[in-house]
Amino acid sequence: MYRGIFDTHAHYDDARFDEDRDALLCSLPQKGVARVINCGVDLASSKTTLSLAHKYDYVYAAIGFHPEDCGDATDADFEALLPLYGDPKVVAVGEIGLDYYWDTVPKETQKAVFERQLILANELHKPVIVHDREAHADTLALLKKHRPQGVLHCFSGSVESMEEAVKLGLYIGLGGAVTFKNAKKPLAVAAAAPADRLLLETDCPYMAPVPFRGKRNDSSLIAFVAETIAAVRGVEVQQLIDQCRENANRLFGID
Ligand code: NI
């Protein structure tokens, strides 16, 4: 068994954990999971995220408005979230970004909400957890404009765009996608990314790695992601897990 796994992106507030959330979250430390950042996607899930972080020592919170969930967010919603950023368990503004795949919220709304939260993150001196789906150019342009610290979660771009993100000081989050058949790009990124910029993540309950693809994901399954990445980098799995945990601690100001 591996030790010290840091899952930098989870959604344990999701309804798919309703049946066994407490049992699962109590069991993860015994499966080598040392830390988890749970990510809110709107006001309600950000509040739930924070209560999970208060209940479980090893769980931390990112709070914010996700591009797919920001369509109905009002100024009052944004203001309601503000005081929560002062909580010591809140380590990031997230999950924020742009999603042009689902197209549920107009692009201009998404961009305005993303930019508003990038400005907030810089004011708070907190890193951002960025969701970018089929929106690489606009995401990168806004990150270049505001230069926050942060991570591009579930990184799906090319090696060239990874290098551009690294130059901006950003971290690269990799999860189950590296284990999928035809995962050429994520694997190339996993091999080429600087060791001090890699983060491990699940995005659970989504993105379960092979051999659990399509099933409910949880932080213990990161072992399969770490094995895949360690293999393409030619390093020991435990060494990779340790390096990624140190990277996450540095980025999120933990320890
Ligand atoms: Ni997510």
Side-chain angles (χ1 to χ4, degrees):
M1 195 191 82
Y2 308 115
R3 290 165 284 104
I5 291 168
F6 193 143
D7 180 358
T8 58
H9 196 114
H11 299 281
Y12 284 111
D13 53 296
D14 191 279
R16 289 175 71 185
F17 294 109
D18 281 354
E19 251 173 55
D20 60 346
R21 182 176 293 106
D22 184 57
L24 179 64
L25 285 169
C26 287
S27 76
L28 290 177
Q30 288 134 49
K31 296 176 185 166
V33 178
R35 286 196 167 121
V36 168
I37 295 177
N38 204 77
C39 298
V41 297
D42 58 16
L43 180 58
S45 73
S46 290
K47 286 181 176 168
T48 312
T49 290
L50 192 51
S51 63
L52 289 174
H54 288 156
K55 186 165 182 193
Y56 305 96
D57 242 14
Y58 72 98
V59 176
Y60 292 79
I63 58 176
F65 294 87
H66 187 286
E68 285 173 70
D69 301 274
C70 71
D72 306 320
T74 62
D75 277 336
D77 290 336
F78 283 98
E79 274 155 35
L81 210 54
L82 285 180
L84 306 188
Y85 284 103
D87 189 288
K89 292 297 290 275
V90 175
V91 295
V93 179
E95 172 175 1
I96 65 174
L98 300 174
D99 193 315
Y100 295 169
Y101 177 79
W102 290 107
D103 208 24
T104 45
V105 177
K107 285 183 187 178
E108 289 314 310
T109 307
Q110 291 191 37
K111 282 200 255 185
V113 169
F114 185 30
E115 190 156 26
R116 174 179 191 149
Q117 295 180 101
L118 289 173
I119 292 166
L120 174 68
N122 284 341
E123 282 171 5
L124 296 169
H125 302 290
K126 286 200 190 292
V128 291
I129 295 179
V130 177
H131 172 105
D132 160 18
R133 190 157 185 202
E134 317 239 322
H136 296 328
D138 285 356
T139 303
L140 201 64
L142 283 171
L143 290 171
K144 269 190 182 155
K145 182 175 169 193
H146 293 286
R147 302 295 300 258
Q149 286 191 291
V151 55
L152 290 167
H153 119 80
C154 195
F155 189 82
S156 57
S158 62
V159 169
E160 291 70 31
S161 56
M162 176 274 290
E163 284 165 348
E164 209 168 341
V166 163
K167 259 188 231 151
L168 287 173
L170 297 166
Y171 288 68
I172 306 298
L174 294 175
V178 299
T179 69
F180 296 171
K181 268 205 161 92
N182 71 29
K184 274 208 177 123
K185 262 206 287 187
L187 269 189
V189 166
D196 63 350
R197 294 300 182 84
L198 271 179
L199 301 182
L200 292 171
E201 63 168 60
T202 54
D203 205 12
C204 67
Y206 314 104
M207 301 298 279
V210 173
F212 298 97
R213 189 171 183 180
K215 304 237 165 71
R216 189 183 76 173
N217 197 4
D218 72 62
S219 305
S220 68
L221 301 183
I222 270 193
F224 295 94
V225 174
E227 284 171 358
T228 305
I229 296 174
V232 295
R233 296 179 68 86
V235 298
E236 294 292 327
V237 182
Q238 187 60 56
Q239 185 193 336
L240 179 92
I241 288 170
D242 291 342
Q243 170 84 63
C244 291
R245 184 186 61 256
E246 283 164 28
N247 296 343
N249 284 339
R250 185 188 322 118
L251 174 62
F252 296 108
I254 299 171
D255 268 357

